[in-house]
Amino acid sequence: ATGAALAYDRLVVSFLPLPHVKVRGIQLHRQNAFEVNAKELSVYPRILPILKGQFNIHRIGLLSPQLKLLAGSYPVMQPDPPEGKQDRSIEDIIRQAIAGLFGALTAIDPGMDLQIEEGSVALVFANASDLRVDSIDASVKNDAGDLSLSFSCRSDPLGDLYITAKADIGGQQADGRITLTDLNLQPLLLQAALPGGITTEETRAEIEATFSVNGPESLHSRFDLRFPSLTVMRNDLKLDLDTALISGTADYADNHLTVSLDTLQSAQPALDLSASASIGPTGEGTGSVAEIHAAAKVLDIAVASNVTRAIAGDLKAIQTAFSYAKSGQLSDVTYLAGFEIDE
């Protein structure tokens, strides 16, 4: 059906201790499309269905699978050009991710046990750098619709990724934990723009997050982010932060995304803020509107000027305000900004 050529070195059928089939030295390829190599594939069928003349798979083990995809052969895998990233709003990305998650889970047969060890995936793009994911280890078990997952891998930009999760497939509910270390943000932001034209330079981060999904339109997450250094830019303005810490929650419901920051700190410049931001559709139904709230008990005016200009822009009102307030400290500070995002 795929037009691919399949070859293997050896096929072994065993009945002890349990009936199973092992295929070693697997090679599957389709010219100018994909290539798959695996050291070993093990398939364990269910015993009772065999007695009835049926064949149902209970467990699959895959050792050292290596998948190479030529992205140009599959239009859906083409990387979005930077100029087209504005076409995908943050709300769209979240909604599509939730739908895609449960759509993928329904394809896993009840009772299935899948184990992958030492895997790798390479996406080869014609006009962009290849994307590699290595050291893939995964365990997926579906116990009559209650699914458990553990997954780990290494790649750039993701760095080291660890995921543990549980899901009720029928009820469309899930919860889990995600840990990312040595994360490179810049390539990820080429696929989804930050609101207000805000961008970042190449920076590394560590993320610890928990999440829960309750139906296709509801998501809650708690996160902690650590940046050894972080550069935020908007237009020609730049803000450099050293040892930045960000912690808070993210909630998506009723087509609105709300992010609340319990802590937003950096060593240089000295910042200690709390903030919240929300993104949702406009009343006209086209585009989105974003609102940002921030507060600090004590804030240095020079620091406030740099931060405000970098995030909100060098607007005339901001220039006027900081032409009068140039130095010193402010107490019990609040900040509010709103802007529309064109889709």
Side-chain angles (χ1 to χ4, degrees):
T2 63
L6 173 64
Y8 55 88
D9 295 337
R10 188 179 180 188
L11 187 149
V12 178
V13 179
S14 302
F15 294 94
L16 295 176
L18 293 173
H20 65 278
V21 176
K22 286 189 177 181
V23 186
R24 297 190 175 98
I26 300 171
Q27 301 174 31
L28 177 68
H29 75 276
R30 181 180 177 183
Q31 189 173 3
N32 299 323
F34 64 84
E35 180 179 325
V36 180
N37 295 280
K39 184 179 293 185
E40 183 178 275
L41 170 67
S42 301
V43 179
Y44 288 77
R46 295 182 178 278
I47 296 178
L48 290 180
I50 290 179
L51 300 178
K52 301 177 183 178
Q54 301 173 351
F55 184 83
N56 293 337
I57 296 176
H58 170 57
R59 185 166 76 240
I60 296 177
L62 198 54
L63 179 60
S64 299
Q66 299 176 358
L67 172 62
K68 180 179 180 181
L69 292 170
L70 302 182
S73 301
Y74 301 91
V76 295
M77 293 181 181
Q78 293 282 16
D80 293 335
E83 63 271 14
K85 64 189 178 194
Q86 296 286 358
D87 294 336
R88 302 175 63 200
S89 68
I90 295 178
E91 306 101 289
D92 288 338
I93 292 172
I94 295 173
R95 187 166 51 250
Q96 292 168 7
I98 295 175
L101 167 67
F102 287 105
L105 295 183
T106 57
I108 303 174
D109 290 337
M112 174 66 74
D113 182 352
L114 172 64
Q115 306 291 326
I116 299 176
E117 299 179 37
E118 303 173 6
S120 67
V121 175
L123 292 178
V124 181
F125 298 102
N127 300 312
S129 300
D130 296 349
L131 174 62
R132 288 193 56 86
V133 181
D134 297 304
S135 303
I136 298 175
D137 291 310
S139 174
V140 181
K141 297 182 180 180
N142 185 351
D143 184 7
D146 291 328
L147 184 138
S148 62
L149 163 73
S150 63
F151 178 88
S152 63
C153 69
R154 167 71 191 177
S155 75
D156 190 15
L158 291 180
D160 294 309
L161 169 65
Y162 304 92
I163 301 175
T164 57
K166 294 183 179 180
D168 175 0
I169 299 176
Q172 294 192 323
Q173 296 178 325
D175 62 82
R177 178 179 296 273
I178 301 174
T179 302
L180 284 162
T181 59
D182 199 28
L183 172 67
N184 185 358
L185 292 178
Q186 191 172 23
L188 296 177
L189 293 178
L190 291 177
Q191 303 299 321
L194 291 174
I198 298 173
T199 61
T200 68
E201 286 187 344
E202 183 170 349
T203 186
R204 299 285 172 168
E206 297 181 2
I207 299 178
E208 183 82 22
T210 58
F211 67 89
S212 60
V213 179
N214 186 12
E217 297 289 340
S218 176
L219 169 68
H220 171 76
S221 176
R222 173 81 195 180
F223 57 86
D224 294 282
L225 295 83
R226 295 175 175 83
F227 303 88
S229 63
L230 174 64
T231 298
V232 180
M233 298 173 294
R234 189 180 187 196
N235 299 325
D236 296 327
L237 301 172
K238 180 185 290 189
L239 175 66
D240 294 313
L241 303 173
D242 290 332
T243 315
L245 304 176
I246 301 174
S247 64
T249 60
D251 290 278
Y252 174 75
D254 300 325
N255 207 29
H256 280 76
L257 172 65
T258 302
V259 179
S260 298
L261 303 181
D262 302 326
T263 303
L264 198 164
Q265 297 178 339
S266 69
Q268 291 295 330
L271 281 176
D272 190 356
L273 307 175
S274 61
S276 65
S278 64
I279 302 175
T282 62
E284 291 77 13
T286 59
S288 300
V289 61
E291 291 187 357
I292 298 175
H293 303 258
K297 290 187 177 299
V298 178
L299 183 63
D300 183 86
I301 292 178
V303 172
S305 174
N306 292 335
V307 173
T308 304
R309 291 169 188 252
I311 295 178
D314 202 13
L315 305 176
K316 184 175 181 179
I318 294 176
Q319 294 177 357
T320 302
F322 287 107
S323 67
Y324 290 98
K326 296 181 179 180
S327 62
Q329 290 186 330
L330 300 175
S331 300
D332 297 322
V333 181
T334 59
Y335 169 80
L336 171 64
F339 47 86
E340 290 191 5
I341 306 170
D342 294 329
E343 297 288 328

